[in-house]
């Protein structure tokens, strides 16, 4: 946004502990706290002068002037500002992260019991709000502390936004504007998933209870201000908060949500008289043994724009997840395919590649990635093909040295670097990758003298601490690795490495060194993915399903320049109708049967023969993501990968075509679309003069 000259603020929580550090101990994931602030953070500046109160608990009082939220507990939100500079344009935006502070009278104000020491120690309870990031990926866990975090960031941020809106002159802190008619023209709030959904009832609370706007005016302002980005269609990931939690923690917001829902359902009922099932489906409140608030429904109803993050995902959003809402207001729904920043994901992490690209087409591609198309003119330029291959080989040697130094593993740098790095999840199907590893291993053992294309298969990613199956998948990968890597018959033809503690800084090293990028989720489950784009830009070829942004990558580069395999969304739906039966595949495919039997019989866990029985049971009896259904197509596709890799010149030509067609996946394009189609602002390439040059 800074690079595009957009005046923007990014708001979030300043977590004391971010995502855990992952250690692998005898093949298992072990979490340790990430104390990232231990040595201080030079990029942030605390701004105590902008500290704001956030209210929790209490009760609602009806008064002549309207509703009042009273007897609340107060936690202070301390802002920390981090500058975010645009690329060489002297534009700097601010990321403002909130930290929780107890007020000085915390637990001392009411009927002072005299236990001063206890009261001061209890300050921790308030300050725990910004202590730790919940590490779940694509999974909702309805914990009270998490709801507190969500309201904390929203309440502090909205006060900040309104304070800034009311001060008309720069640097002036006295409120000047009082009318909110122009608010949606001056302010756009993008809800990044449903986590900040409370911005909708909170903005309503401020406008109605505090600023005394009438309901309909407040609702119009709120809707025109807010827009919502959906990030997942997995049902277990959708936020559905128990009403009883709201009753206790945010009683006024619960009333407001009920009122929003009532007006919404009245509109639906008027359009579809007697369609009570539709009312049930479209309600914000889900009835049942535990009444719940569906935060996604709140977001859709309270926003003027709703988008998915890749074309196929946005279609699924319209046709399934929010179909009823799409029928009601089709113009509200949009697509904004994700992108990645070429500054970090090309220039910074792969300077060698950036240099040889700049030699051919100049340097303008850095802020206009579509210019990479010009590289198509050089697909048959022998010296360019040679240079691209040389940069990749240098990156592989560098990463090999890093792995040797860090993990004491010797790898063959002329082997294919086959990489799957992402959070560990059943839908991402690291198990399919595992079954391929076992197949290669069994083929080598069966015919040791037959030549095979050597591979170093690297898998990395964190499992949510409470996700048992994901942790078992890591243990399987490390167990298969220790058998394969120590087998003298296999030698350096196959190595399996679990990349410990996968994170951005490790991605910056591994991605430029990769030959093959694995993007193998079940069609219809990965909203977009962005790792897929990073690999494409850095000269890896993709093996993948028609899911997420892979679909658009294949469209841009030509399907023949990716290794696309497996069921499409339609095939998955058809198989669901018919009924997926894993045993059919197990009975029909000997190689698959052998691999599963080896897992089941302890071939990869000789000291604990039934270690993987849960895993096998899941694959055989309740695999929602249909690993076996794509097994044959995947193995065949991997054989095509081997064939092409044996012809380095043709491989590199495909690499060049991929790089040349990756321009669409710049975040500059994505953010320009958000700006013009949702926020109503125009990006600008104007460079602000530097401070040493006087302004006109």
């Amino acid at each position: 946004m800074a690079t595009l000259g957009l005046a923007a603020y990014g708001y979030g929580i300043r977590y004391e502990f971010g995502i855990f550090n992952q250690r692998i101990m005898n093949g298992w994931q072990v979490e340790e706290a990430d104390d990232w602030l231990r040595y201080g953070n030079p990029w942030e500046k605390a701004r105590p002068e902008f500290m704001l109160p956030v209210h929790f608990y209490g009760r609602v009082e009806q008064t002549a002037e309207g509703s009042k939220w009273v007897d609340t507990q107060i936690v202070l939100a301390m802002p920390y500002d981090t500058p975010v500079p645009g690329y060489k344009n002297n534009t700097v935006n601010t990321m403002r992260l909130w930290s929780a502070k107890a007020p000085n009278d915390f637990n001392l104000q009411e009927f002072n019991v005299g236990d001063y020491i206890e009261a001061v120690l209890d300050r921790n309870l308030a300050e725990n709000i910004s202590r730790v990031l919940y590490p779940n990926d694509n999974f909702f866990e309805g914990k009270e502390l998490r709801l507190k975090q969500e309201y904390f960031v929203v309440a502090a941020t909205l006060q900040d936004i309104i304070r800034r809106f009311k001060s008309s002159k720069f640097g002036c802190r006295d409120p000047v504007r009082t009318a909110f008619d122009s608010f949606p023209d001056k302010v756009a709030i993008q809800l990044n998933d449903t986590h900040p959904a409370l911005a909708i009832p909170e903005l309503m609370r401020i406008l109605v209870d505090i600023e005394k706007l009438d309901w309909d005016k407040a609702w119009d302002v709120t809707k025109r201000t807010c827009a919502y980005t959906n990030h997942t269609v997995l049902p277990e990931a959708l936020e559905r908060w128990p009403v009883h939690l709201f009753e206790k923690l945010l009683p006024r917001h619960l009333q407001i949500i009920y009122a929003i829902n009532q007006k919404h359902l009245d509109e639906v009922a008027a359009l579809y008289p007697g369609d009570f099932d539709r009312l049930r489906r479209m309600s914000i409140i889900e009835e049942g043994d535990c009444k719940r608030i569906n935060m996604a429904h709140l977001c859709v109803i309270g926003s003027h724009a709703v988008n998915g993050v890749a074309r196929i995902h946005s279609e699924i959003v319209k046709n399934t997840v929010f179909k009823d809402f799409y029928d009601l207001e089709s113009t509200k729904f949009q697509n904004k395919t994700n992108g990645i920043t070429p500054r970090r994901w090309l220039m910074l992490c792969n300077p060698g590649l950036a240099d040889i690209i700049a030699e051919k087409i100049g340097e303008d591609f850095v802020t206009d990635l579509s210019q990479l198309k010009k590289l198509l003119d050089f697909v048959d330029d022998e010296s360019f093909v040679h240079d691209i291959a040389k940069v990749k080989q240098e990156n592989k040697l560098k990463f090999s040295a890093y792995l040797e130094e860090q993990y004491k593993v010797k790898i063959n740098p002329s082997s294919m670097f086959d990489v799957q790095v992402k959070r560990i999840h059943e839908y991402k199907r690291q198990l399919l990758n595992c079954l391929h590893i076992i197949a290669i291993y069994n083929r080598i053992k069966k015919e040791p003298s037959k030549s095979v294309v050597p591979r170093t298969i690297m898998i990395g990613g964190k499992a949510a601490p409470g996700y048992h199956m994901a942790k078992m998948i890591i243990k399987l990968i490390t167990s298969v690795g220790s058998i394969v890597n120590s087998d003298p018959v296999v030698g350096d033809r196959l190595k399996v490495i679990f990349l410990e503690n996968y994170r951005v800084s490790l991605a910056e090293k591994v991605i430029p060194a990769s030959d093959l990028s694995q993007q193998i989720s079940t069609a219809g489950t990965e909203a977009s993915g962005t790792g897929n784009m990073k690999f494409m830009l850095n000269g890896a070829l993709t093996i993948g399903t028609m899911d997420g942004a892979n679909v658009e990558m294949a469209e841009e580069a030509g399907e023949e320049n990716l290794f696309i395999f497996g069921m499409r969304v339609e095939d998955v739906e058809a198989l669901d109708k018919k009924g997926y039966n894993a045993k059919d595949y197990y009975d029909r495919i000997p190689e698959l049967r052998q691999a599963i039997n080896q897992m089941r019989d302890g071939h990869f866990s000789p000291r604990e023969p039934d270690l993987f029985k849960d895993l096998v049971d899941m694959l055989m009896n309740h695999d929602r993501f249909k690993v076996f259904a794509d097994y044959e197509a995947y193995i065949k596709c991997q054989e095509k990968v081997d064939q092409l890799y044996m012809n380095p010149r043709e491989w590199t030509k495909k690499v060049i075509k991929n790089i040349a067609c990756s321009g669409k996946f710049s975040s500059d394009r994505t953010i320009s679309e958000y700006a013009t189609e949702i926020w109503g602002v125009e990006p600008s390439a104007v460079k602000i003069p530097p401070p040493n040059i006087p302004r006109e």
Side-chain angles (χ1 to χ4, degrees):
M1 292 175 84
T3 296
L4 292 173
L6 298 170
Y9 292 83
Y11 280 98
I13 295 172
R14 180 180 177 271
Y15 293 107
E16 204 174 311
F17 297 95
I19 185 78
F20 60 87
N21 282 314
Q22 178 194 55
R23 296 286 164 253
I24 302 297
M25 281 154 90
N26 50 43
W28 297 94
Q29 167 175 300
V30 176
E31 302 87 20
E32 55 182 45
D34 169 36
D35 191 7
W36 73 286
L37 292 166
R38 184 170 48 239
Y39 302 115
N41 172 8
W43 305 110
E44 70 181 9
K45 174 80 182 79
R47 306 297 301 275
E49 68 272 27
F50 293 114
M51 190 142 62
L52 293 167
V54 176
H55 297 257
F56 293 101
Y57 303 108
R59 56 189 176 81
V60 181
E61 232 173 43
Q62 305 305 148
T63 72
E65 296 91 63
S67 297
K68 272 209 169 118
W69 185 18
V70 297
D71 296 339
T72 55
Q73 290 184 27
I74 292 178
V75 176
L76 299 176
M78 164 87 79
Y80 285 77
D81 286 356
T82 299
V84 181
Y87 182 72
K88 294 186 178 177
N89 66 351
N90 296 317
T91 299
V92 181
N93 286 337
T94 300
M95 176 175 68
R96 175 163 284 184
L97 302 181
W98 301 102
S99 184
K101 284 278 281 162
N104 287 331
D105 62 357
F106 187 77
N107 269 20
L108 290 164
Q109 67 276 63
E110 77 257 17
F111 56 99
N112 195 312
V113 206
D115 201 339
Y116 163 74
I117 298 291
E118 271 304 298
V120 172
L121 296 182
D122 279 350
R123 292 170 61 85
N124 279 133
L125 273 46
E127 296 174 358
N128 275 339
I129 290 173
S130 54
R131 195 80 66 203
V132 59
L133 170 73
Y134 277 84
N136 298 328
D137 181 77
N138 271 294
F139 185 77
F140 170 65
E141 188 180 4
K143 294 279 196 284
E144 181 175 9
L145 181 61
R146 172 69 180 198
L147 185 57
K148 278 185 177 166
Q149 290 179 339
E150 291 185 358
Y151 180 62
F152 176 75
V153 66
V154 156
T157 298
L158 275 170
Q159 289 180 75
D160 215 35
I161 289 171
I162 287 164
R163 172 189 59 75
R164 202 174 282 122
F165 167 75
K166 284 183 170 183
S167 311
S168 63
K169 284 209 284 294
F170 179 77
C172 159
R173 295 201 198 150
D174 311 316
V176 179
R177 279 204 198 90
T178 45
F180 278 83
D181 303 60
S182 64
F183 191 77
D185 306 318
K186 301 290 180 189
V187 175
I189 296 173
Q190 191 69 32
L191 304 173
N192 193 13
D193 213 324
T194 55
H195 313 146
L198 287 166
I200 292 165
E202 173 67 3
L203 184 51
M204 284 298 286
R205 185 186 72 82
I206 294 168
L207 295 178
V208 173
D209 293 0
I210 299 169
E211 301 294 340
K212 305 299 181 195
L213 273 69
D214 74 80
W215 182 278
D216 291 339
K217 178 69 200 163
W219 184 242
D220 175 65
V221 168
T222 297
K223 255 185 99 156
R224 286 168 51 215
T225 300
C226 296
Y228 159 59
T229 302
N230 172 274
H231 286 278
T232 182
V233 296
L234 292 184
E236 63 267 37
L238 295 177
E239 293 197 291
R240 295 155 60 249
W241 287 103
V243 164
H244 67 81
L245 252 183
F246 264 75
E247 238 151 17
K248 180 170 75 150
L249 195 69
L250 302 167
R252 180 58 183 142
H253 296 78
L254 182 59
Q255 291 181 348
I256 290 168
I257 288 167
Y258 278 145
I260 290 169
N261 196 40
Q262 190 55 58
K263 288 182 185 284
H264 159 66
L265 291 181
D266 289 347
E267 280 174 42
V268 176
L271 284 162
Y272 301 93
D275 191 345
F276 299 113
D277 198 54
R278 183 180 297 264
L279 291 177
R280 181 190 56 75
R281 292 196 310 265
M282 295 184 76
S283 177
I284 299 173
I285 310 296
E286 297 179 0
E287 301 295 339
D289 47 342
C290 171
K291 279 174 71 166
R292 290 177 177 273
I293 299 171
N294 184 314
M295 301 301 264
H297 288 186
L298 177 60
C299 286
V300 172
I301 293 159
S303 297
H304 70 275
V306 174
N307 72 280
V309 291
R311 193 204 302 133
I312 189 176
H313 167 58
S314 296
E315 289 303 311
I316 290 167
V317 161
K318 292 189 303 195
N319 301 330
T320 60
V321 195
F322 300 135
K323 182 184 190 302
D324 294 318
F325 296 92
Y326 177 68
D327 293 343
L328 202 64
E329 301 182 89
S330 61
T331 54
K332 181 183 275 195
F333 289 81
Q334 304 188 20
N335 172 245
K336 296 285 167 278
T337 299
N338 278 161
I340 55 169
T341 169
R343 271 74 65 184
R344 178 173 303 272
W345 295 111
L346 179 55
M347 298 179 68
L348 186 137
C349 71
N350 204 342
L353 180 56
D355 282 349
I356 62 169
I357 291 171
E359 255 171 58
K360 286 290 182 205
I361 66 170
E363 284 181 23
D364 288 355
F365 70 91
V366 177
T367 50
D368 176 16
L369 207 62
S370 64
Q371 293 197 26
L372 290 178
K373 275 262 185 273
K374 295 176 185 171
L375 292 175
L376 289 173
D377 296 343
F378 304 102
V379 171
D380 296 311
D381 176 328
E382 290 307 323
S383 81
F384 187 61
V385 171
H386 170 266
D387 287 345
I388 290 281
K390 181 163 156 283
V391 167
K392 179 61 73 180
Q393 199 50 43
E394 285 165 0
N395 291 339
K396 287 172 72 171
L397 284 164
K398 191 173 172 186
F399 190 64
S400 301
Y402 171 81
L403 281 184
E404 249 184 85
E405 184 231 313
Q406 290 289 306
Y407 302 104
K408 314 288 173 239
V409 278
K410 201 80 183 97
I411 56 170
N412 170 8
S414 63
S415 64
M416 183 199 307
F417 283 16
D418 165 345
V419 182
Q420 185 181 25
V421 284
K422 52 192 63 248
R423 289 294 292 263
I424 309 294
H425 202 295
E426 288 160 87
Y427 87 85
K428 294 174 185 285
R429 298 202 294 191
Q430 282 92 354
L431 283 170
L432 187 55
N433 192 350
C434 247
L435 290 173
H436 176 241
I437 295 171
I438 296 170
I440 300 174
Y441 171 69
N442 286 331
R443 285 178 186 185
I444 292 172
K445 296 291 279 183
K446 193 176 170 191
E447 303 182 79
S449 56
K450 197 175 170 210
S451 83
V452 294
V453 176
R455 289 200 192 210
T456 301
I457 302 176
M458 307 181 217
I459 304 175
K462 293 174 184 178
Y467 189 175
H468 171 250
M469 196 59 71
K471 290 188 152 181
M472 287 309 302
I473 291 168
I474 291 175
K475 179 59 175 171
L476 177 67
I477 296 161
T478 55
S479 302
V480 170
S482 63
I483 296 288
V484 169
N485 297 346
S486 62
D487 193 319
V489 175
V490 176
D492 68 355
R493 293 182 287 182
L494 178 62
K495 286 277 178 262
V496 180
I497 294 171
F498 188 86
L499 295 172
E500 193 176 295
N501 204 29
Y502 178 68
R503 57 202 188 284
V504 169
S505 53
L506 186 57
E508 289 171 354
K509 296 180 173 71
V510 67
I511 292 172
S514 303
D515 292 308
L516 186 68
S517 158
Q518 299 228 34
Q519 309 295 337
I520 58 179
S521 55
T522 311
T525 63
E526 188 73 87
S528 165
T530 52
N532 46 4
M533 304 168 188
K534 295 166 190 173
F535 282 101
M536 183 185 195
L537 183 58
N538 280 279
L541 297 185
T542 302
I543 183 168
T545 51
M546 279 297 205
D547 197 21
N550 299 355
V551 177
E552 289 159 85
M553 286 163 51
E555 184 179 303
E556 293 295 300
E559 203 172 319
E560 71 282 3
N561 293 310
L562 280 78
F563 297 98
I564 298 291
F565 72 94
M567 297 180 290
R568 311 303 200 246
V569 169
E570 303 72 45
D571 305 317
V572 175
E573 286 168 356
L575 186 52
D576 275 325
K577 269 205 188 75
K578 174 180 158 246
Y580 168 68
N581 184 2
K583 193 157 191 309
D584 295 347
Y585 302 91
Y586 173 88
D587 291 337
R588 197 180 73 245
I589 308 162
E591 211 170 36
L592 174 61
R593 184 164 62 247
Q594 181 187 6
I596 294 298
N597 291 349
Q598 287 169 320
M599 280 168 59
R600 187 195 57 208
D601 301 338
H603 187 280
F604 301 108
S605 53
R607 311 177 86 169
E608 247 185 295
D610 57 359
L611 182 60
F612 299 119
K613 70 168 174 6
D614 281 7
L615 239 158
V616 170
D617 176 62
M618 181 274 290
L619 285 169
M620 295 295 295
N621 301 309
H622 31 83
D623 175 10
R624 294 168 56 205
F625 303 104
K626 305 177 177 66
V627 170
F628 293 2
D630 276 336
Y631 174 84
E632 272 181 305
Y634 179 59
I635 298 291
K636 283 202 183 81
C637 196
Q638 286 281 19
E639 287 165 5
K640 283 195 198 154
V641 173
D642 280 340
Q643 277 164 22
L644 188 67
Y645 196 76
M646 288 190 288
N647 184 342
R649 198 164 147 274
E650 289 308 308
W651 179 280
T652 306
K653 284 185 175 194
K654 275 208 201 303
V655 164
I656 294 168
K657 288 177 191 172
N658 271 265
I659 297 169
C661 295
S662 63
K664 173 180 179 176
F665 306 105
S666 169
S667 53
D668 296 340
R669 188 265 319 149
T670 306
I671 297 301
S672 298
E673 290 179 12
Y674 277 97
T676 57
E677 297 165 30
I678 298 179
W679 307 325
V681 288
E682 283 300 321
S684 110
V686 176
K687 285 186 167 53
I688 291 173
N692 56 314
I693 291 173
R695 302 202 187 187
E696 274 84 78

